[in-house]
Amino acid sequence: MADQHDNTVATAAALAAEKLAMLQFVDRGQAYPPKRSAEDRADDFEEISDKFDGSAAQAQSARCSQCGVPYCSTHCPLHNHIPDWLRLTAEGRLREAYEMSNLTSTMPEICGRICPQDRLCEGNCVIEFSGHGAVTIGSVEKYITDTAWEQGWVEPVLVGKPRGQSVGIIGAGPAGLTAAEYLRMGGYDVHVYDRHDRAGGLLTYGIPGFKLEKDVVMRRVARLEQAGIVFHCGFEVGRDCAMDDLREKHDAVLIATGVYKARDIKVPGIGADGVVPALDYLIASNRKGFGDDVPDFDSGALNAEGKNVVVIGGGDTAMDCVRTAVRQGAASVKCLYRRDRINMPGSQREVLNAEEEGVEFVWLSGPVAVEGTPHATAVRASRMRLGAPDASGRSAPEPDPDSDFSVPADLVIKALGFDPEDLPSAFGCDELSVQRWGTLRVDHKTMMTSLDGVFAAGDIVRGASLVVWAIRDGRDVAEHMHKYLKAKARAGAEMVAA
């Protein structure tokens, strides 16, 4: 470890001595950190790409064109100061680059790993439009903060002067953790309640380790614990405590539960054994990675080893499932999606990674039945054709008559997206108002729900979305809660004075 530390210090010193000029996108090509071979990465749950070395990150950062109007920043939900920390990286000023990155994001190394940069910052890079290939922003972002952790530059949370007020946060996912950090910096006592036995939400249990290794999440959680944030894991509001009790205990409450209810598909046989929701499957796999006892995995119910696996869906969760099945040793892995590749909602990079690892995509295929009783043996599907665009702007799929075919399947994974749970019922709080699709109704000027002092942020408000949007919502709601709590404290002081 000492040798590795010395090498990193020497590399940082060498980079600082060589400041690269910017606008090098003509002479320097786009480059990502090298990926491990598909054969190697299919055998483990480690991240698939090697880390950038310092000179490669510096050279890639020097390709930035330093736009006057940086589209990369404007299309980032956090509005990260991307050109600024790219310039600092190119100049070898890594600590300053980290500090700049950390100004707007509580989890830059996590966003660098799992953000769909091809749809956000990199997809809107000006030099991408000019045909030179975007700066590989996400890889540089990951490199900067990983280096900061290695060098000890990541400082403890700067806890503000105690205010004598407390906040309860329901949900320890990215929105809840972000709000917790900012509110603790504001001097509030913060308690986080989560149903799982570890904090992190889908960062911990939904996203596989080959995209986000779990020690990366756990070190962020540990930093918050060290700041005095209290985590109540294995705690369910409505079971362990009523919502009214939580409101009485805390001066303000934030609901940041995310959306966990799996969307279903109504076809004959969907209730057969061997048909499972995606999140159940992914949670079991991630728990096994932690070394937990997982009976449903050990029994084979949530283990793809030796099985013909069919995943139904085309989003990022479907990609997580097919790639997990490969690593578990499935006999075959197929993904059925009712549209074509161009209209797929999941990241194209993830599709390519899956194909490299041996996943077969069956495009323009919609399931019509699950065959086999009591256990699934196949999925019967119909060929689809694309018609006029629907409300999403994508071409709507239509069944092609007399085109049914069967795909052998011992394990069928439903990865059709997520909807909100019925929180008013779960929390025993009928006054909590929801939208017609189940998300919480909030005043978008204050992010407060229909209950005074109860706020909401993240997917439970906007619907299933990206981690980076949850971080943004957590940052925004912390500001609104701070204003509310200051006003509450001022009103209390005035009442005492009177």
Side-chain angles (χ1 to χ4, degrees), residues 201-356:
L202 290 181
L203 298 176
T204 299
Y205 285 126
I207 299 173
F210 53 80
K211 287 172 65 176
L212 178 61
E213 291 183 346
K214 300 310 158 188
D215 61 337
V216 174
V217 181
M218 292 299 105
R219 69 188 180 190
R220 280 286 171 189
V221 174
R223 180 172 173 268
L224 298 182
E225 289 177 325
Q226 291 161 8
I229 295 172
V230 181
F231 287 90
H232 304 266
C233 293
F235 188 105
E236 287 194 36
V237 178
R239 182 194 68 186
D240 300 306
C241 143
M243 184 67 173
D244 286 344
D245 295 335
L246 211 61
R247 294 178 68 194
E248 186 174 343
K249 179 178 179 179
H250 298 290
D251 295 284
V253 173
L254 169 63
I255 302 174
T257 55
V259 291
Y260 281 82
K261 181 182 175 182
R263 290 179 188 155
D264 216 336
I265 181 172
K266 296 180 180 179
V267 297
I270 199 65
D273 294 341
V275 182
V276 301
L279 195 53
D280 290 1
Y281 174 69
L282 292 172
I283 289 174
S285 178
N286 280 313
R287 283 194 177 280
K288 202 66 181 174
F290 277 111
D292 294 352
D293 181 28
V294 187
D296 284 342
F297 182 93
D298 296 334
S299 71
L302 295 175
N303 183 0
E305 184 177 4
K307 296 178 180 178
N308 294 311
V309 177
V310 171
V311 176
I312 302 171
D316 289 333
T317 300
M319 298 304 97
D320 293 343
C321 290
V322 294
R323 298 182 64 202
T324 295
V326 168
R327 285 157 176 77
Q328 291 178 349
S332 68
V333 183
K334 292 181 172 65
C335 180
L336 297 188
Y337 182 57
R338 58 184 183 158
R339 292 184 171 95
D340 59 9
R341 186 184 195 118
I342 296 174
N343 286 283
M344 195 173 192
S347 167
Q348 291 298 315
R349 292 180 188 172
E350 286 298 294
V351 175
L352 176 60
N353 288 333
E355 288 177 327
E356 291 173 351

Side-chain angles (χ1 to χ4, degrees), residues 22-356:
M22 304 303 289
L23 283 77
Q24 299 296 309
F25 56 87
V26 174
D27 298 327
R28 300 176 187 270
Q30 183 186 60
Y32 290 91
K35 287 193 288 188
R36 296 188 292 138
S37 71
E39 293 77 15
D40 287 345
R41 64 192 199 229
D43 289 336
D44 59 48
F45 281 83
E46 296 177 8
E47 292 180 7
I48 70 169
S49 294
D50 296 328
K51 180 182 173 182
F52 254 153
D53 63 41
S55 59
Q58 189 175 17
Q60 192 58 211
S61 299
R63 299 180 66 244
C64 176
S65 61
Q66 296 288 287
C67 305
V69 180
Y71 290 173
C72 57
S73 292
T74 57
H75 286 85
C76 169
L78 294 170
H79 300 314
N80 287 333
H81 305 306
I82 296 169
D84 295 326
W85 49 255
L86 287 176
R87 177 178 52 80
L88 290 167
T89 302
E91 294 175 353
R93 298 158 64 185
L94 281 184
R95 183 162 190 167
E96 293 170 81
Y98 160 69
E99 291 168 351
M100 179 67 70
S101 173
N102 195 55
L103 284 176
T104 50
S105 177
T106 55
M107 306 177 187
E109 76 280 25
I110 292 175
C111 289
R113 285 168 163 84
I114 64 174
C115 263
Q117 289 95 3
D118 54 339
R119 304 204 303 262
L120 298 173
C121 55
E122 293 179 20
N124 290 280
C125 176
V126 168
I127 64 173
E128 173 75 13
F129 299 153
S130 68
H132 292 90
V135 176
T136 51
I137 296 166
S139 299
V140 176
E141 182 179 34
K142 171 187 170 184
Y143 167 76
I144 291 169
T145 308
D146 282 350
T147 301
W149 281 101
E150 292 169 5
Q151 294 296 308
W153 300 337
V154 179
E155 298 177 351
V157 176
L158 184 61
V159 179
K161 182 180 177 181
R163 293 177 176 271
Q165 292 174 294
S166 73
V167 173
I169 297 176
I170 308 171
L177 294 180
T178 296
E181 180 169 341
Y182 283 116
L183 288 166
R184 188 66 182 133
M185 291 170 65
Y188 299 100
D189 294 334
V190 179
H191 291 253
V192 180
Y193 304 87
D194 196 85
R195 72 180 80 185
H196 293 297
D197 57 348
R198 294 179 181 88
L202 290 181
L203 298 176
T204 299
Y205 285 126
I207 299 173
F210 53 80
K211 287 172 65 176
L212 178 61
E213 291 183 346
K214 300 310 158 188
D215 61 337
V216 174
V217 181
M218 292 299 105
R219 69 188 180 190
R220 280 286 171 189
V221 174
R223 180 172 173 268
L224 298 182
E225 289 177 325
Q226 291 161 8
I229 295 172
V230 181
F231 287 90
H232 304 266
C233 293
F235 188 105
E236 287 194 36
V237 178
R239 182 194 68 186
D240 300 306
C241 143
M243 184 67 173
D244 286 344
D245 295 335
L246 211 61
R247 294 178 68 194
E248 186 174 343
K249 179 178 179 179
H250 298 290
D251 295 284
V253 173
L254 169 63
I255 302 174
T257 55
V259 291
Y260 281 82
K261 181 182 175 182
R263 290 179 188 155
D264 216 336
I265 181 172
K266 296 180 180 179
V267 297
I270 199 65
D273 294 341
V275 182
V276 301
L279 195 53
D280 290 1
Y281 174 69
L282 292 172
I283 289 174
S285 178
N286 280 313
R287 283 194 177 280
K288 202 66 181 174
F290 277 111
D292 294 352
D293 181 28
V294 187
D296 284 342
F297 182 93
D298 296 334
S299 71
L302 295 175
N303 183 0
E305 184 177 4
K307 296 178 180 178
N308 294 311
V309 177
V310 171
V311 176
I312 302 171
D316 289 333
T317 300
M319 298 304 97
D320 293 343
C321 290
V322 294
R323 298 182 64 202
T324 295
V326 168
R327 285 157 176 77
Q328 291 178 349
S332 68
V333 183
K334 292 181 172 65
C335 180
L336 297 188
Y337 182 57
R338 58 184 183 158
R339 292 184 171 95
D340 59 9
R341 186 184 195 118
I342 296 174
N343 286 283
M344 195 173 192
S347 167
Q348 291 298 315
R349 292 180 188 172
E350 286 298 294
V351 175
L352 176 60
N353 288 333
E355 288 177 327
E356 291 173 351

